Amino acid sequence: MKQLIKNLALLIVICMTFVGCEPKSREDNTPPQTIIFYMAGTHLGGYFRTNREAIKSALNQNIQGKSRVVIFYQNTKSEAELKEYYFQDGLCQEKVLATYTLPAQMNATDMGYILSDIVGRTPSKSHSLIIGSHGRGWIPFGAEPESSAAHLGMKKADVLTHEELWEPKGDIVTRYLGEDTCPQNRFDVTDLAEAIASTGVKMEYILFDACFMANVESIYDLRNSAKYIIGSPCEIMGAGFPYANIMPELLKGNGISYDLEAVCRKFNEDYAANPGYSGTIALFDCAQLDGLAQAMKRVNSANKKDYITFTSMTVDEFNGRNEDLVESYDIIYIGSEQGDFYV
């Protein structure tokens, strides 16, 4: 009987010991964030290579912690690869994660496949997207300069090409209004929004290293694609963002957070320190865009007599040059015709 009591007491002590010991929490090894660089096209290939080297130079400082940095870029007009940059043995290393054969014409489905594949290969708590390319803003493909010329009463023969408009001989190269010469690289803003939605992920931010993407039409289309969007309302120089300076702001606290206001400041400071170059940048909080749309509905429902009337000849042209307004003119014309926006 005494032995039974001893055994029961021992069993109780053992049970209390197990109950009293809380299991150690497992270390969370999930990367805090993944930054996806999407470098579209080959026309800016030389600048993209410089951008990648600048990114690596920043990562050489061992700033990313457990976060991941991957870069999609084209080796040719029809082939692309995805590389991951990571810190090991005191330096930024790189490895190929995937290769892609590009379609004859990029669309929302094809781009969605690429982005979904990238997201699937980089599980993390959040994803962000940086797009390097030429930019057309909200203007859809197929809206060629000839349509704008017709509104202006210009002859088709008088319409300049994109290169003639935005890369005059001897001028500094910009990521000008237009697109790469190959259709594999072309996609509309609405295609991008659909492609991101297909991944099942809402980006923390989208950074456009491309011209003319800070316009309310494009940003509104992407309002559900990201929490924040950075872009320029004007051209961006061919050199693009100063990645050596902004990567530490995108990987704050050993890669666990980001400071987009600091990114914008670094962009402005870099271009202000380089005479002969220019840079204008904007940061959008996408949570405010539905409110903006409601405000515009109230404006549009008001008495139209209260609006200031205008004609195309009284509106300042971009850069002060008539020919530079060939595509931008549609923004004014369509806006006033459809009643979406008024000056």
Side-chain angles (χ1 to χ4, degrees):
M1 186 67 178
K2 289 182 178 180
Q3 186 62 39
L4 177 60
I5 293 173
K6 287 181 180 180
N7 291 340
L8 287 172
L10 180 60
L11 180 62
I12 292 171
V13 170
I14 293 174
C15 289
M16 290 178 65
T17 299
F18 278 105
V19 170
C21 292
E22 295 182 3
K24 292 183 179 180
S25 59
R26 294 181 181 178
E27 183 179 359
D28 186 358
N29 289 315
T30 305
Q33 62 170 318
T34 293
I35 301 176
I36 302 170
F37 285 85
Y38 188 101
M39 297 181 174
T42 58
H43 184 258
L44 294 168
Y47 292 107
F48 288 162
R49 284 190 291 274
T50 301
N51 293 159
R52 293 197 295 271
E53 289 304 313
I55 294 165
K56 291 176 69 174
S57 71
L59 298 183
N60 276 334
Q61 306 306 312
N62 193 18
I63 61 173
Q64 69 187 98
K66 295 179 181 178
S67 288
R68 304 182 73 173
V69 176
V70 295
I71 300 183
F72 171 96
Y73 69 95
Q74 295 179 226
N75 292 312
T76 67
K77 290 185 176 182
S78 59
E79 299 290 333
E81 65 182 15
L82 179 69
K83 282 189 175 182
E84 179 169 11
Y85 288 174
Y86 60 98
F87 187 82
Q88 183 176 297
D89 299 329
L91 289 172
C92 176
Q93 312 287 344
E94 62 180 70
K95 61 182 177 183
V96 176
L97 297 182
T99 58
Y100 305 91
T101 299
L102 300 181
Q105 169 64 63
M106 187 68 75
N107 57 34
T109 300
D110 295 317
M111 193 173 191
Y113 168 80
I114 292 172
L115 291 179
S116 294
D117 186 68
I118 294 173
V119 168
R121 293 176 185 273
T122 57
S124 59
K125 294 179 180 178
S126 68
H127 288 78
S128 301
L129 179 62
I130 298 177
I131 299 178
S133 69
H134 289 308
R136 293 169 59 97
W138 63 270
I139 301 171
F141 288 103
E144 297 303 325
E146 289 81 357
S147 63
S148 300
H151 296 315
L152 290 170
M154 297 171 61
K155 296 179 180 179
K156 182 175 180 180
D158 295 330
V159 179
L160 301 179
T161 66
H162 290 299
E163 289 77 6
E164 289 171 331
L165 280 172
W166 302 104
E167 292 190 36
K169 188 175 181 180
D171 278 10
I172 298 171
V173 174
T174 68
R175 302 188 176 198
Y176 64 91
L177 178 66
E179 73 284 341
D180 199 272
T181 56
C182 190
Q184 282 92 332
N185 313 314
R186 304 175 183 179
F187 51 88
D188 287 329
V189 172
T190 50
D191 290 336
L192 176 60
E194 185 177 337
I196 292 174
S198 72
T199 69
V201 168
K202 184 172 185 175
M203 300 293 170
E204 286 291 305
Y205 59 84
I206 300 172
L207 187 155
F208 284 107
D209 197 354
C211 296
F212 302 106
M213 295 308 297
N215 59 85
V216 71
E217 296 90 347
S218 296
I219 303 303
Y220 187 78
D221 280 339
L222 294 166
R223 68 193 183 282
N224 297 318
S225 301
K227 295 179 181 178
Y228 304 98
I229 297 176
I230 290 178
S232 174
C234 300
E235 306 103 323
I236 283 186
M237 297 290 104
F241 273 70
Y243 289 106
N245 294 333
I246 72 167
M247 288 303 294
E249 307 300 339
L250 296 176
L251 293 164
K252 300 285 286 187
N254 205 29
I256 65 173
S257 63
Y258 53 83
D259 186 342
L260 299 183
E261 290 186 10
V263 168
C264 294
R265 284 195 299 271
K266 292 290 179 71
F267 177 92
N268 283 330
E269 290 168 0
D270 186 82
Y271 279 100
N274 289 277
Y277 292 84
S278 63
T280 302
I281 208 69
L283 170 60
F284 296 84
D285 179 354
C286 294
Q288 307 303 318
L289 290 171
D290 283 329
L292 175 62
Q294 292 302 315
M296 287 309 304
K297 285 182 179 179
R298 291 194 295 272
V299 170
N300 292 337
S301 63
N303 191 342
K304 300 295 190 294
K305 293 180 180 180
D306 294 336
Y307 296 139
I308 299 172
T309 58
F310 66 90
T311 65
S312 62
M313 301 309 294
T314 62
V315 177
D316 288 337
E317 294 93 357
F318 182 78
N319 264 3
R321 302 189 327 200
N322 290 329
E323 63 269 21
D324 279 357
L325 199 59
V326 168
E327 286 198 350
S328 299
Y329 178 82
D330 279 338
I331 299 174
I332 299 167
Y333 182 84
I334 292 176
S336 60
E337 286 293 302
Q338 292 182 343
D340 292 329
F341 300 96
Y342 293 85
V343 176

